Amino acid sequence: MIVLNGKDLAKKIQNKIKEDVELLKKASITPGLAVIMIGDDPASQVYVKKKAEACKEAGIYSVVHEMPENIKEETIINTIKLMNENQNINGILVQLPLPPHINQTKILEAIDPKKDVDGFHPYNMGRLCLDLDSFVPCTPLGVMKIFEEYGIDVKGKDVCIVGASNIVGKPMAALLLNEFATVDICHIYTKDLKEHTKRADIIIVAVGKAGLITEDMVKDEAIVIDIGINRLENGKLAGDVDYDNVAHKCSHITPVPGGVGPMTIAMLLSNTIKATKLKTSE
Ligand code: NAD
């Protein structure tokens, strides 16, 4: 069984990004990322802090716009418009989830698609589905990089994705389909989840429910990618897979923490560099 080490791979990618940034700086270009954070959700605060730290480490300029929970939609959109116009900002991301009174679609659509480093704008999502060059959401992109690094060819494989959100499950499905995998997407209303996971060569789970994927749901020698992040009562982090009992059956598995999580941040930096290069080539 091979443990897919996203932490080390992310480090390797971030070192390469650091070199790219140094080269850009020699040409008097400093990549810039703006993060908009609404409210004080503790998990979002941790993610935003990690993203800012990673930018600093790579030499990318970053700015965090913190806004109160009761902020007006219009104020967020005006801030996005300013960032769209700002020549020092190449990438913009709005940390999700948003408070219930804010229309998420309106907010994401306000971002200039060329600065949409999270890849959530309908323009980029549409291009991804058409297998055209686009900004690809960071978490699924990170999973594809793990496959690439470990020589896992998804072509013709039966892949079961558990979780069908716009930010993880759906773009993951599009990326895999573009690489000619046979994709099965499950969600909360799937009748018999085990019947789907049991057949899969590759299981990718992004639900947010610790212990959802148990030993009996996984076929021998399957590849298991665990995207879920759950805080257990004992304070530890866990994924959606019952790792201790599932790992021995797998040919490859990602741990939590140290699997997909660090790759998400590395891909955000990578997308920010992509946006910077796109602008300089205009
Ligand atoms: P979400 O709540 O938007 O979507 C969850 C999906 O799971 C939905 O499609 C829902 O139908 C499905 N689901 C819920 N219960 C289910 C069940 N019992 N059986 C099958 N499907 C079920 O969540 P999200 O934003 O996509 O995030 C999912 C998980 O991934 C969370 O734990 C989140 O913290 C984690 N996440 C991790 C990273 C990372 O970098 N590792 C990035 C994004 C999200």
Side-chain angles (χ1 to χ4, degrees):
M1 184 268 295
I2 295 171
V3 177
L4 299 166
N5 189 331
K7 194 175 170 188
D8 283 359
L9 177 56
K11 188 86 205 141
K12 194 166 111 180
I13 293 169
Q14 281 168 239
N15 285 338
K16 169 76 181 64
I17 288 171
K18 210 169 170 175
E19 289 171 18
D20 276 5
V21 173
E22 277 163 18
L23 282 179
L24 285 164
K25 283 187 175 169
K26 279 189 185 145
S28 303
I29 299 159
T30 300
L33 175 72
V35 178
I36 297 173
M37 150 103 195
I38 295 129
D40 49 14
D41 173 57
S44 292
Q45 281 176 333
V46 171
Y47 296 140
V48 168
K49 193 168 161 232
K50 280 190 179 172
K51 288 169 187 175
E53 280 169 3
C55 281
K56 196 170 172 208
E57 171 67 26
I60 295 173
Y61 163 73
S62 79
V63 56
V64 180
H65 294 272
E66 287 187 53
M67 298 179 173
E69 182 85 18
N70 62 358
I71 192 93
K72 280 190 182 150
E73 203 169 86
E74 196 190 339
T75 314
I76 308 171
I77 291 176
N78 285 338
T79 305
I80 293 173
K81 282 183 181 163
L82 284 174
M83 295 299 111
N84 284 343
E85 300 302 322
N86 188 327
Q87 297 301 309
N88 297 321
I89 295 299
N90 303 101
I92 303 169
L93 82 81
V94 178
Q95 185 65 38
L96 302 179
L98 296 174
H101 69 282
I102 305 289
N103 181 329
Q104 184 173 302
T105 307
K106 262 190 174 173
I107 298 298
L108 296 179
E109 280 185 326
I111 297 172
D112 178 348
K114 288 184 185 155
K115 295 191 177 187
D116 175 33
V117 286
D118 254 345
F120 297 158
H121 191 290
Y123 174 84
N124 282 310
M125 282 287 196
R127 289 185 64 92
L128 170 61
C129 286
L130 297 172
D131 198 13
L132 299 171
D133 185 47
S134 63
F135 286 103
V136 175
C138 302
T139 302
L141 184 59
V143 172
M144 296 307 280
K145 289 282 173 202
I146 291 177
F147 289 149
E148 197 181 303
E149 174 75 7
Y150 284 86
I152 297 168
D153 184 4
V154 300
K155 192 175 181 176
K157 296 269 175 23
D158 290 328
V159 184
C160 179
I161 300 174
V162 188
S165 70
N166 289 343
I167 65 170
V168 188
K170 286 182 197 167
M172 188 78 251
L175 281 167
L176 289 160
L177 196 53
N178 289 344
E179 295 299 325
F180 305 105
T182 302
V183 186
D184 186 11
I185 313 172
C186 301
H187 45 77
I188 186 94
Y189 296 112
T190 298
K191 275 188 280 182
D192 183 352
L193 185 59
K194 179 176 162 182
E195 192 252 322
H196 293 265
T197 57
K198 190 82 193 159
R199 290 193 263 126
D201 303 313
I202 303 176
I203 301 170
I204 302 178
V205 53
V207 168
K209 198 170 172 206
L212 178 70
I213 305 298
T214 49
E215 191 179 2
D216 57 317
M217 297 169 82
V218 178
K219 82 171 178 186
D220 284 336
E221 295 299 301
I223 296 168
V224 174
I225 306 291
D226 191 354
I227 297 177
I229 301 176
N230 306 288
R231 180 72 65 185
L232 302 179
E233 276 177 15
N234 63 11
K236 286 191 177 164
L237 280 186
D240 291 341
V241 177
D242 175 11
Y243 187 92
D244 291 345
N245 295 307
V246 168
H248 75 98
K249 289 186 88 175
C250 302
S251 72
H252 300 74
I253 187 167
T254 56
V256 177
V260 177
M263 289 301 293
T264 298
I265 302 222
M267 292 304 102
L268 171 65
L269 303 189
S270 172
N271 279 349
T272 305
I273 301 303
K274 177 176 170 150
T276 308
K277 290 181 177 171
L278 194 74
K279 182 175 172 248
T280 51
S281 68
E282 271 175 357

